[in-house]
Amino acid sequence: MTSSFAKCLVAALAVLFSSQALAQYTRDPLPSWNEGPAKQAILDFVARSTKEGGPDFVPFDDRVAVFDQDGTLWVEHPMYTQVLYCLSRVPAVVKEKPELKSKEPFKTVLSGDKEAMDKLALKDWEEIVVATMSGMSVDQFQDEVKAWLKTAKHPRWDRPYTELVYQPMLEAMAYLRMGANYKTYIVTGGGQDFVRVFSPLTYGIQPEQVVGSAEGTKYGYDKSGKPFLTKEPKLLLNDNFAGKPEGIHMMIGRRPYAAFGNSTGDQQMLEYTKAGKGARLGMLVLHDDAKREYAYGPARGLPDTKVGTFTQALHDEAKKQGWIVISMKDDWRRLFPFEPLPPQD
Amino acid sequence: MTSSFAKCLVAALAVLFSSQALAQYTRDPLPSWNEGPAKQAILDFVARSTKEGGPDFVPFDDRVAVFDQDGTLWVEHPMYTQVLYCLSRVPAVVKEKPELKSKEPFKTVLSGDKEAMDKLALKDWEEIVVATMSGMSVDQFQDEVKAWLKTAKHPRWDRPYTELVYQPMLEAMAYLRMGANYKTYIVTGGGQDFVRVFSPLTYGIQPEQVVGSAEGTKYGYDKSGKPFLTKEPKLLLNDNFAGKPEGIHMMIGRRPYAAFGNSTGDQQMLEYTKAGKGARLGMLVLHDDAKREYAYGPARGLPDTKVGTFTQALHDEAKKQGWIVISMKDDWRRLFPFEPLPPQD
């Protein structure tokens, strides 16, 4: 029982230490952001929503902020990381089911013909994702993803994908979480089970705070009678477009106060967030930095229904709705944690 | 920015105060439990799983404990509270859809003939639940449940249902949460949206920590263009039996270390919890207290498939698997928060 008290003391000390950590916020909680309307919008939102007695004060328990992942928290170009993972799994899947070898879209993937792969339809990609993300136990899937993430590298930076996360967004998440007591959730069109594997160490976000496209699982027993869950080829939640607010309701159960995205797939999540009363923050990352990352959006030339992208229509809607557009080029002083912070202008 | 520091100071003080609250745990964290194997099992589990450097130490982030609701956290007899709510909504539903008036099972419900209602099949009950829990906006549903809970009373105690929660379980939840840093989740076969309405004030459990049977929602816009979610008559997660570990994986993303239930509907959740390595706690509440509450279980005479109950087979399985049976009669000194704590024997 004395250990309870000791633990308390440790907790109290942790808070005191973290108050020292927070004290640096008296300098700048967002050092990788350039001064400007985007940075200011985050600071203002935190100030308004945490001002006790103020008209926009949000009670602790209600403080929820949601973040899209691909293109918002990490690099999504030239291809979604999860799609690369699924492609890497195709040979293993075909080995187990040889009948797929001569069947499309697996035949095209195995051929390695990039031009032919570019022509695959959304339906084909869905088939690849379903085939490579189901049929194994939940534990086996986690082990496979972990092993792949250790070796796979982005061709441009020659670094693991989990290092290609945006430092300014890590700072925004940490500030909302530690400086303002927001619960930070990832709300991704990507696979919930996939993102949960690396979210704790990559973003400081625990599995239960990752909402994503989710397949069902099936409960069963192994030969020794030990129960386990098998990933099923059955999509329960398609967490994109209108599926994002629907997923938020199911998994979190309340409307967020802040939402960050980068594509039409995030539009409904931003609408839903901003439709609430009081201080609400909606932000969209615009990839306009060909030098340090990529410039795409309308230029990417993919139809909205395929992946969701930053279209002109979304840009117009952002203006109309008061969503803040983050210019990667102008608003971010540095992009990745491994880059040094450049000197202030 | 000074406010950040002030907030920190407040947080530090809160921890110091809560350390005083925890100091009472040096006396007894579970005062409403009689000494015995059930109480001891909880104390031992906490001691083992929080002992730093011990073989069964569980890291903070992994600490998850799950609790069934009906019959585990509150009274489920003579009928599930949610079913009573649904029955109360039938007249309003029929008013909106008059064609249901002469259709079964609504006709029987409207007749008020209790004998005929007792004969309704599971399929009929499902139809009533679906009809009364869907078609309205999420906000409207919450308002309706809140209003009903304010006036509805249990006939035996003449008190609101939210007062008929088991004080010993509130203490167990609080001890796991505040004394041992466990995240406490409700994992109920009841409606997720229904339980989330009262769980914060009733159990100190926030909506995002309630996993339950969940209908889908549909995103749409009202006439003014404001987005809202409508509850759909489509079950996404049937959170009972094997659906409990499946729901836990989907909503929490990891295996719990402790699970509390009271019926065959909780069996798979207990199996799944106990199949993990290290210290794992599985407990089942046995309703054997006709004087203070009810005595049922095998005596209740309902088939397993209907509601799940504490069968002889479950009792045998508990023995085999090392799940601790909590005897309401012997293990609980008092049942409800409104009762005074009886003097120690």
Side-chain angles (χ1 to χ4, degrees):
Chain A
M1 289 302 155
T2 328
S3 78
S4 275
F5 187 76
K7 189 138 42 69
C8 265
L9 206 64
V10 170
L13 287 173
V15 169
L16 288 171
F17 277 120
S18 90
S19 87
Q20 295 195 326
L22 288 172
Q24 71 175 314
Y25 287 158
T26 57
R27 293 201 297 273
D28 185 353
L30 303 170
S32 298
W33 294 69
N34 286 315
E35 300 305 320
K39 177 174 181 171
Q40 201 54 48
I42 300 172
L43 296 174
D44 288 349
F45 168 75
V46 166
R48 282 175 66 195
S49 66
T50 61
K51 188 180 162 58
E52 286 193 57
D56 294 330
F57 178 75
V58 179
F60 269 34
D61 288 332
D62 295 347
R63 295 184 190 172
V64 169
V66 291
F67 296 81
D68 168 58
Q69 189 192 219
D70 294 301
T72 300
L73 295 181
W74 74 352
V75 174
E76 65 176 348
H77 228 48
M79 217 175 219
Y80 292 137
T81 305
Q82 187 186 336
V83 171
L84 293 170
Y85 171 74
C86 290
L87 290 176
S88 82
R89 294 290 310 160
V90 168
V93 167
V94 169
K95 202 176 164 188
E96 265 189 40
K97 294 185 187 173
E99 68 274 19
L100 295 179
K101 204 172 175 176
S102 54
K103 229 192 110 191
E104 290 298 354
F106 304 97
K107 195 177 157 187
T108 295
V109 171
L110 290 169
S111 76
D113 180 345
K114 287 201 174 180
E115 218 167 292
M117 277 172 63
D118 275 347
K119 285 179 193 152
L120 291 177
L122 179 61
K123 203 187 103 312
D124 297 320
W125 287 110
E126 283 175 352
E127 202 172 327
I128 292 164
V129 169
V130 165
T132 52
M133 301 272 288
S134 65
M136 70 294 284
S137 78
V138 158
D139 292 341
Q140 194 187 340
F141 175 77
Q142 287 170 353
D143 291 343
E144 284 165 1
V145 173
K146 264 182 210 163
W148 183 81
L149 285 171
K150 267 188 198 159
T151 57
K153 287 186 176 176
H154 193 290
R156 175 161 167 185
W157 288 275
D158 194 33
R159 284 179 180 270
Y161 290 93
T162 47
E163 290 187 19
L164 298 172
V165 293
Y166 304 130
Q167 175 65 21
M169 294 304 279
L170 295 180
E171 290 168 8
M173 282 199 286
Y175 184 47
L176 284 165
R177 208 157 48 216
M178 295 193 290
N181 290 98
Y182 277 85
K183 297 166 199 165
T184 52
Y185 280 82
I186 292 174
V187 177
T188 174
Q192 183 167 279
D193 284 343
F194 182 77
V195 179
R196 283 175 169 179
V197 172
F198 56 89
S199 62
L201 290 180
T202 304
Y203 303 115
I205 290 186
Q206 295 301 319
E208 64 271 20
Q209 293 186 333
V210 175
V211 179
S213 293
E215 303 96 19
T217 55
K218 195 174 165 58
Y219 186 77
Y221 304 88
D222 68 14
K223 280 175 195 166
S224 72
K226 201 179 153 180
F228 70 102
L229 293 167
T230 304
K231 282 176 68 66
E232 292 277 282
K234 176 183 68 177
L235 196 64
L236 288 187
L237 177 62
N238 187 351
D239 200 45
N240 251 320
F241 302 98
K244 289 211 172 188
E246 291 163 8
I248 287 168
H249 176 72
M250 177 158 181
M251 305 281 293
I252 313 178
R254 48 182 145 206
R255 194 191 299 264
Y257 279 82
F260 297 75
N262 79 308
S263 83
T264 51
D266 304 312
Q267 182 163 344
Q268 289 84 347
M269 175 169 83
L270 266 76
E271 285 173 358
Y272 182 63
T273 299
K274 289 280 287 183
K277 283 176 196 159
R280 306 275 171 167
L281 180 65
M283 302 193 84
L284 284 166
V285 177
L286 177 67
H287 294 259
D288 57 358
D289 194 336
K291 201 174 148 206
R292 292 189 299 175
E293 201 230 24
Y294 299 99
Y296 55 95
R300 196 171 172 187
L302 289 168
D304 282 14
T305 46
K306 188 156 185 187
V307 287
T309 186
F310 204 133
T311 59
Q312 189 56 45
L314 182 64
H315 209 290
D316 296 346
E317 190 68 16
K319 226 169 191 171
K320 205 174 112 192
Q321 301 286 350
W323 304 335
I324 314 289
V325 174
I326 301 165
S327 159
M328 184 172 271
K329 186 155 64 78
D330 297 332
D331 287 317
W332 287 356
R333 286 181 70 200
R334 66 167 159 175
L335 263 49
F336 303 116
F338 55 80
E339 295 170 341
L341 195 61
Q344 202 82 41
D345 297 333
Chain B
M1 291 304 156
T2 328
S3 78
S4 275
F5 187 75
K7 190 138 41 68
C8 264
L9 206 62
V10 169
L13 287 173
V15 168
L16 288 171
F17 278 118
S18 89
S19 87
Q20 294 195 324
L22 287 172
Q24 71 173 313
Y25 287 157
T26 56
R27 291 202 298 273
D28 186 353
L30 305 170
S32 298
W33 294 69
N34 286 316
E35 300 304 320
K39 178 174 182 170
Q40 200 53 48
I42 300 172
L43 296 174
D44 288 348
F45 168 75
V46 166
R48 281 175 65 194
S49 66
T50 61
K51 188 179 163 60
E52 286 194 57
D56 293 330
F57 178 75
V58 180
F60 269 34
D61 288 331
D62 295 347
R63 295 184 190 174
V64 168
V66 291
F67 297 80
D68 168 59
Q69 189 193 220
D70 294 301
T72 301
L73 295 180
W74 74 351
V75 174
E76 65 176 348
H77 228 49
M79 216 175 219
Y80 292 138
T81 306
Q82 186 185 335
V83 170
L84 294 169
Y85 171 74
C86 290
L87 290 176
S88 81
R89 295 290 309 160
V90 167
V93 167
V94 169
K95 203 177 163 187
E96 266 190 40
K97 294 185 187 172
E99 69 273 18
L100 295 179
K101 203 173 174 176
S102 55
K103 229 192 109 191
E104 289 300 354
F106 304 96
K107 195 178 157 188
T108 294
V109 170
L110 290 168
S111 76
D113 179 345
K114 289 200 173 179
E115 218 168 292
M117 277 172 64
D118 275 348
K119 285 179 192 150
L120 291 177
L122 179 61
K123 200 186 107 306
D124 296 321
W125 286 110
E126 283 175 353
E127 201 173 328
I128 292 164
V129 170
V130 164
T132 53
M133 302 272 288
S134 65
M136 70 293 284
S137 79
V138 159
D139 293 341
Q140 194 187 339
F141 174 78
Q142 287 170 353
D143 291 344
E144 285 166 1
V145 173
K146 263 182 210 163
W148 183 81
L149 286 171
K150 266 188 198 160
T151 57
K153 287 186 176 175
H154 194 289
R156 175 162 168 184
W157 288 275
D158 195 32
R159 286 179 179 269
Y161 290 94
T162 48
E163 290 186 19
L164 297 172
V165 293
Y166 304 129
Q167 174 66 21
M169 294 304 278
L170 294 180
E171 291 169 6
M173 281 198 288
Y175 184 48
L176 284 165
R177 208 156 50 217
M178 296 193 290
N181 290 96
Y182 276 85
K183 299 167 198 165
T184 53
Y185 280 81
I186 292 175
V187 177
T188 174
Q192 183 167 280
D193 284 344
F194 181 79
V195 178
R196 283 175 169 179
V197 172
F198 56 87
S199 63
L201 290 179
T202 304
Y203 302 115
I205 290 186
Q206 295 300 318
E208 65 270 19
Q209 293 186 332
V210 174
V211 179
S213 294
E215 303 95 21
T217 55
K218 195 174 165 59
Y219 186 77
Y221 305 88
D222 69 13
K223 280 173 195 168
S224 72
K226 199 179 153 179
F228 70 102
L229 293 167
T230 304
K231 282 175 67 68
E232 292 277 281
K234 177 181 66 176
L235 196 64
L236 288 187
L237 177 63
N238 187 352
D239 201 43
N240 250 321
F241 302 98
K244 288 211 173 190
E246 291 163 7
I248 287 169
H249 176 72
M250 176 157 181
M251 305 282 292
I252 313 178
R254 49 181 144 207
R255 194 191 298 263
Y257 279 82
F260 296 75
N262 78 307
S263 82
T264 51
D266 304 312
Q267 182 164 344
Q268 288 84 350
M269 175 169 84
L270 266 75
E271 284 172 359
Y272 182 63
T273 299
K274 289 280 288 184
K277 283 175 197 162
R280 307 274 170 168
L281 179 66
M283 300 192 85
L284 284 166
V285 177
L286 177 66
H287 294 259
D288 57 358
D289 194 336
K291 202 175 147 205
R292 293 188 300 173
E293 201 230 23
Y294 299 100
Y296 55 95
R300 196 171 171 187
L302 288 167
D304 282 15
T305 47
K306 189 158 184 187
V307 288
T309 186
F310 203 132
T311 59
Q312 188 56 46
L314 182 63
H315 209 291
D316 296 345
E317 191 68 15
K319 224 168 191 172
K320 204 173 113 191
Q321 302 286 349
W323 304 336
I324 314 288
V325 174
I326 301 166
S327 160
M328 183 172 273
K329 187 156 62 80
D330 298 332
D331 287 316
W332 287 357
R333 286 181 70 200
R334 66 167 160 177
L335 262 50
F336 303 116
F338 54 79
E339 294 170 341
L341 195 61
Q344 202 82 41
D345 296 334

